[in-house]
């Protein structure tokens, strides 16, 4: 039996004095502060005065329900998300390996929470616009909860990942990238499916989503025995970055610690909307994006969550190129860790920054290298007997 949720409301990130009832989730941003050009997300607020003593002293084991008092109500059954290992790469530098979640990515933490919201709403299913990790995770958690799933994939998404999504019984619709969000809205409005990805001009996504991600902060606190000095997070829309930051602010708010880390948004240099918004002093922005193989975090649309996490923590947005990410990916593989190119962005940015910190540094690795472009498409070379020594 898990402890009850202490969630009480949804609060606007556009104006924290504005709050709304906890349900229904406002999946199209804050109605009062958003405009046609900018959408402000919402976050979940809690009765922090009632947080049980010792909540953050628990060991980080699979199933994020161990943190239920500081999560929205969890109606969806678990697949064993969370409790991922923290691996030391060299002295004081760690990888939080989120590829060890049930569908091999950090998205499982988000989807345990958002599929729970779909069940609570009585929705017939969930719909998500995703070309990779999010779609696979949403499909798996929907199947586990007995719900249908529709995944809107872009035409250039990896075929292996689309097969992964279909394995869970999801309906995969492959459409041009610019059609995915309008089609998602149509499916929500006409069929009543619960949206677990973005619908707005700048990114808001699901207000409950980052709540699942903040359990990474709780686990890091338990695994390190302290708050890290810095966290480097692969960043697309910024839900993961903000969720981890919020988890650390809650540790501080509830008196578990007085410290908080610097948060670093690690984005493909081909897009990097968070870096642009911070440079321009904007709450969020939209950019043009060039080519990058780090497709999972290559975004033209930014969101206010990422900007808030970087600003409030005193961190930085760090654009990184594909070659730098590939070097980090090879470094991890040399230690027995296979990360997707996007998942290596945190370590890539840390190495490129070349800065020392007064305390442990954590790089979040978001997903398995199985999700990369081109995986499984190159045929193996058949080795003939006279040449095997030359191959070794």
């Amino acid at each position: 039996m898990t402890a009850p949720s202490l969630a009480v409301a949804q609060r606007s990130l556009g104006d924290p004095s504005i709050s709304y009832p906890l349900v229904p989730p406002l999946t199209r941003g804050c109605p009062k502060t958003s405009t046609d050009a900018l959408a402000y997300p919402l976050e979940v607020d809690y009765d922090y005065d009632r947080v049980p003593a010792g909540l953050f002293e628990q060991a980080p084991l699979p199933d994020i329900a161990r943190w239920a008092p500081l999560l929205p109500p969890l109606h969806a059954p678990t697949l064993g998300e969370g409790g991922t290992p923290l691996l030391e790469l060299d002295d004081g530098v760690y990888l939080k390996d989120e590829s060890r979640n049930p569908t091999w990515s950090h998205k499982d933490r988000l989807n345990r929470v958002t599929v729970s919201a779909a069940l609570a709403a009585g929705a017939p299913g969930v719909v998500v616009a995703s070309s990779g990790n999010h779609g696979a995770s949403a499909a798996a958690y929907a199947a586990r909860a007995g719900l249908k799933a529709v995944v809107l994939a872009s035409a250039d998404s990896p075929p292996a990942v689309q097969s992964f999504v279909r394995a869970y019984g999801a309906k995969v619709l492959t459409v041009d990238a610019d059609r995915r969000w309008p089609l998602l809205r149509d499916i929500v409005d006409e069929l009543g499916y619960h949206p677990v990805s973005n619908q707005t001009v700048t990114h808001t996504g699901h207000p409950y989503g980052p709540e699942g991600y903040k359990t990474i902060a709780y686990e890091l606190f338990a695994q390190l025995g302290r708050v890290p000095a810095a966290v480097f997070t692969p960043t697309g829309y910024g839900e993961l970055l903000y969720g981890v930051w919020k988890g650390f602010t809650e540790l501080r708010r509830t008196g578990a610690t007085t410290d908080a880390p610097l948060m670093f948004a690690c984005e493909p240099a081909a897009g990097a909307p968070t870096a642009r918004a911070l440079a321009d002093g904007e709450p969020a922005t939209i950019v043009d994006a060039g080519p990058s193989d780090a497709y999972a975090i290559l975004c033209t649309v930014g969101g206010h969550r990422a900007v808030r996490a970087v600003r409030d923590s005193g961190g930085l947005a760090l654009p990184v190129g594909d070659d730098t990410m590939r070097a980090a990916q090879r470094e991890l593989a040399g230690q027995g860790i296979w990360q997707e190119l996007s998942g290596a962005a945190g370590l890539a940015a840390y190495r490129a920054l070349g800065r020392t910190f007064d305390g442990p540094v954590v790089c979040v690795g978001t997903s398995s290298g199985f999700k990369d472009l081109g995986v499984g498409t190159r045929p193996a070379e058949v080795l003939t007997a006279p040449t095997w020594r030359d191959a070794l």
Side-chain angles (χ1 to χ4, degrees), residues 140-165:
Y141 277 82
R144 176 76 168 149
L147 297 177
K148 296 178 181 178
V150 174
V151 178
L152 309 178
S154 62
D156 57 356
S157 62
V161 176
Q162 291 201 25
S163 297
F164 190 28
V165 175

Side-chain angles (χ1 to χ4, degrees), residues 298-324:
L298 179 63
C299 296
T300 59
V301 174
H304 185 54
R305 288 190 183 99
V307 172
R308 282 285 297 272
V310 172
R311 282 181 178 166
D312 291 355
S313 73
L316 295 168
L318 302 173
V320 287
D322 280 21
D323 287 346
T324 307

Side-chain angles (χ1 to χ4, degrees), residues 158-198:
V161 176
Q162 291 201 25
S163 297
F164 190 28
V165 175
R166 289 189 175 94
Y168 298 117
K171 182 70 173 180
V172 179
L173 304 180
T174 303
V175 297
D176 292 335
D178 58 358
R179 290 190 56 212
R180 289 191 300 166
W181 286 0
L183 180 55
L184 183 143
R185 291 180 68 118
D186 288 344
I187 292 171
V188 171
D189 292 340
E190 296 182 25
L191 301 181
Y193 276 51
H194 195 77
V196 294
S197 60
N198 193 53

Side-chain angles (χ1 to χ4, degrees), residues 3 17 23 48 100 131 152 155 161 227 246:
S17 70
V23 292
Y48 289 104
R100 305 282 282 275
S131 295
L152 309 178
V161 176
V227 169
K246 183 177 181 183

Side-chain angles (χ1 to χ4, degrees), residues 266-279:
C266 310
E267 307 175 286
T274 303
R276 174 71 61 81
L278 287 162

